[in-house]
Amino acid sequence: MSGTMCSSNSVVQTQKLVDQLRLEASMERIRISLTAADLIQYCKDHRRSDPLLTGIAASSNPFKDKKTCTLL
Amino acid sequence: MCKHYLYSILCISTSLCFKPFRCRSLPAQRKYMRSPPIPEMATQEVQLSETLAHLKTESDTLKGKLEEERAKLHDVELHQVAEKVEGLGQFVMKTRRTLKGHGNKVLCMDWCKDKRRIVSSSQDGKVIVWDAFTTNKEHAVTMPCTWVMACAYAPSGCAVACGGLDNKCSVYPLSLDKNENLAAKKKSVAMHTNYLSACSFTNSDMQVRLSRMGEDTCSSFVTALHHFFDLTELFKVFRHVLHDFMSLQGCDKKANVWDMRSGQCIQSFETHESDINSVRYYPSGDAFASGSDDATCRLYDLRADREVAIYSKESIIFGVSSVDFSLSGRLLFGGYNDYTINVWDVLKGTRVSILFGHENRVSTLRVSPDGTAFCTGSWDHTLRTWA
């Protein structure tokens, strides 16, 4: 009896796995040449608004040290 | 690990299926016994094992088909397409602030939306809210347990959520009145079993998403803060959420993408050679990066449904604990167990910079909401902001 229970559990599990794989197999995929171009375009579009990339001036970055002031 | 669990069930059940049924009885009673139901049980078991074998064949076929489909789209490498992109210059990034105050390993940190405050949690059981500009501590809460593994800042900046081995997620409202006892005002959600591995607020202060580590699965649920009841147990696992309905999960060597509306895992990637410690969406949401104990970071494209880049070097042999993208997605920051931070050019696949400073492994890394800096937490008890 317990043998049957275990096998029916494993059947259920394997069925779930097969269903999952069927779902994944039916997905529509796009070629890398196209998706990569999109990733690159996104980087280019947002390049200027990325302070860590372009390095904004020390005066506007609160974390960077400001230039010291000299007393005249 | 999930796969092994399934196979071990198969093995156990197979051995039980074919073990002959033995009936023990005294010789004198035998002729009065009902005939043992051997034939029916055996037929049932045989049927089940046949179904099992059939399903297994189908799953293997499907897996093969998936591999084929994915390979078909692999017409070019990301770094080849990126050859025409201009290279990055020299980067000068260094520690700008060091936040000292924790008494033990820093396990997790999060930025406030005001781009200035940080919440961090540590093995010493403390959750501290810092002003990252001045390095002042604004609030400190002592949790009743050690190993506070997860913490998050509410979108309004008025509360923090944290939890860990206490099997609870506690939410503390932050008060400007220093005399107020924060611990008294906390609200908790019990996880019932297993510890809290990650938490994050949804777009409102009213809901917190939590992940708890289970044996083979992790589960998460949304809780309305004001009422404190479990709405529904949604679905399995996540360590990072970008949109309201999609979520990423790093579970052992697999990275999964879940649709929270249907509760379905819609994509799964298994190319890492060791456990994944961190997953983070690319800013556009069309890809994500993962960091793993196999010392590599990888980029997965969701629309091509495959891995498109590996960020690794022979000289890097220690695992990655935490990854995050810069705002444009061009840079990927990785915190490593060899105490360093490696900065990668996402498109070209090369390392741009290596940053030193921490005196023990980097356990958590997050870029600030406006992208002006990133913060790391480490087992050396400190947090550092870099810019």
Side-chain angles (χ1 to χ4, degrees):
Chain A
M1 191 51 187
S2 60
T4 322
M5 285 295 283
C6 276
S7 353
S8 55
N9 275 346
S10 55
V11 167
V12 165
Q13 291 231 359
T14 324
Q15 184 64 57
K16 275 191 190 163
L17 180 66
V18 168
D19 290 338
Q20 179 61 37
L21 287 170
R22 279 198 198 128
L23 183 73
E24 288 179 27
S26 61
M27 185 196 150
E28 256 195 57
R29 295 175 185 80
I30 306 177
R31 283 200 325 267
I32 292 186
S33 44
L34 297 173
T35 59
D38 281 347
L39 289 178
I40 293 169
Q41 194 54 47
Y42 187 92
C43 280
K44 283 193 178 152
D45 292 343
H46 292 82
R47 193 180 181 280
R48 261 181 247 111
S49 53
D50 187 348
L52 283 168
L53 186 66
T54 54
I56 57 178
S59 48
S60 43
N61 187 337
F63 287 104
K64 288 193 175 160
D65 304 317
K66 315 265 183 293
K67 292 205 173 89
T68 50
C69 303
T70 46
L71 289 171
L72 297 167
Chain B
M1 205 175 86
C2 299
K3 228 192 242 172
H4 293 308
Y5 187 57
L6 178 65
Y7 285 136
S8 62
I9 290 180
L10 286 173
C11 292
I12 292 169
S13 60
T14 316
S15 62
L16 281 174
C17 271
F18 295 114
K19 204 183 248 175
F21 176 83
R22 286 198 199 289
C23 171
R24 290 175 191 232
S25 59
L26 297 171
Q29 287 180 333
R30 265 195 207 141
K31 55 179 188 178
Y32 301 111
M33 265 177 55
R34 276 170 39 208
S35 51
I38 299 173
E40 289 157 25
M41 263 185 74
T43 321
Q44 256 191 354
E45 286 177 3
V46 164
Q47 274 177 350
L48 278 173
S49 58
E50 271 176 13
T51 323
L52 201 57
H54 174 72
L55 283 174
K56 198 157 178 308
T57 323
E58 192 178 351
S59 79
D60 288 337
T61 322
L62 282 170
K63 278 184 197 162
K65 190 174 169 224
L66 266 176
E67 291 292 323
E68 261 180 57
E69 291 293 316
R70 283 173 171 170
K72 272 188 213 163
L73 300 159
H74 192 189
D75 54 350
V76 75
E77 297 285 348
L78 173 62
H79 62 85
Q80 288 171 314
V81 183
E83 257 161 34
K84 299 183 207 122
V85 179
E86 62 179 62
L88 298 172
Q90 278 286 1
F91 275 87
V92 179
M93 263 184 250
K94 51 184 186 167
T95 305
R96 302 291 172 173
R97 302 282 190 279
T98 305
L99 306 176
K100 295 188 187 177
H102 276 298
N104 211 321
K105 304 172 180 156
V106 177
L107 300 175
C108 186
M109 58 89 32
D110 190 19
W111 286 89
C112 178
K113 284 209 167 140
D114 71 357
K115 310 154 212 163
R116 168 175 187 150
R117 283 176 182 75
I118 288 175
V119 64
S120 62
S121 66
S122 155
Q123 195 190 330
D124 65 358
K126 287 212 170 47
V127 174
I128 300 181
V129 177
W130 315 77
D131 176 335
F133 293 175
T134 61
T135 74
N136 287 340
K137 299 181 207 24
E138 296 200 343
H139 298 92
V141 178
T142 305
M143 296 278 287
C145 68
T146 56
W147 285 96
V148 188
M149 314 192 77
C151 60
Y153 224 117
S156 67
C158 296
V160 290
C162 51
L165 289 182
D166 58 349
N167 293 5
K168 285 203 290 255
C169 173
S170 304
V171 180
Y172 294 87
L174 298 175
S175 158
L176 287 174
D177 180 357
K178 299 275 184 232
N179 294 328
E180 211 168 350
N181 182 3
L182 286 182
K185 291 195 119 190
K186 82 167 185 204
K187 292 186 176 171
S188 291
V189 178
M191 305 296 284
H192 306 300
T193 58
N194 306 311
Y195 64 85
L196 178 72
S197 61
C199 62
S200 62
F201 283 85
T202 60
N203 289 335
S204 87
D205 276 17
M206 306 292 286
Q207 289 181 324
V208 174
R209 270 191 218 92
L210 312 166
S211 281
R212 61 176 189 229
M213 288 304 292
E215 297 155 345
D216 279 329
T217 63
C218 310
S219 47
S220 50
F221 53 96
V222 175
T223 316
L225 288 181
H226 280 195
H227 299 288
F228 281 101
F229 55 88
D230 301 340
L231 290 177
T232 42
E233 184 170 312
L234 287 180
F235 359 72
K236 321 229 165 176
V237 205
F238 51 88
R239 296 189 196 276
H240 177 69
V241 176
L242 179 71
H243 306 295
D244 271 322
F245 57 83
M246 299 290 281
S247 109
L248 288 178
Q249 164 205 358
C251 183
D252 305 317
K253 299 182 205 170
K254 278 205 265 191
N256 299 322
V257 184
W258 294 84
D259 181 339
M260 295 178 22
R261 295 165 301 185
S262 60
Q264 290 270 2
C265 170
I266 53 174
Q267 282 173 278
S268 187
F269 305 89
E270 192 168 1
T271 59
H272 270 292
E273 292 160 22
S274 193
D275 288 354
I276 294 178
N277 296 319
S278 175
V279 285
R280 193 70 74 199
Y281 268 108
Y282 187 80
S284 71
D286 289 330
F288 70 93
S290 59
S292 155
D293 279 342
D294 67 3
T296 68
C297 300
R298 292 172 200 240
L299 186 70
Y300 297 91
D301 190 314
L302 292 171
R303 293 180 307 160
D305 190 36
R306 59 173 297 129
E307 173 193 290
V308 292
I310 305 182
Y311 307 102
S312 66
K313 267 177 120 64
E314 269 185 38
S315 53
I316 302 176
I317 54 172
F318 283 84
V320 187
S321 63
S322 192
V323 295
D324 203 0
F325 284 101
S326 70
L327 280 194
S328 67
R330 183 68 194 270
L331 298 175
L332 179 70
F333 301 96
Y336 288 70
N337 293 341
D338 62 1
Y339 317 171
T340 65
I341 294 140
N342 286 287
V343 187
W344 302 90
D345 179 337
V346 170
L347 302 179
K348 294 194 186 271
T350 53
R351 182 173 67 185
V352 158
S353 188
I354 177 169
L355 304 173
F356 302 94
H358 277 299
E359 291 159 20
N360 206 321
R361 63 165 77 174
V362 179
S363 54
T364 176
L365 187 157
R366 292 286 266 272
V367 172
S368 76
D370 62 350
T372 49
F374 67 93
C375 180
T376 51
S378 162
W379 282 13
D380 68 3
H381 310 185
T382 68
L383 292 112
R384 283 170 186 251
T385 46
W386 309 74

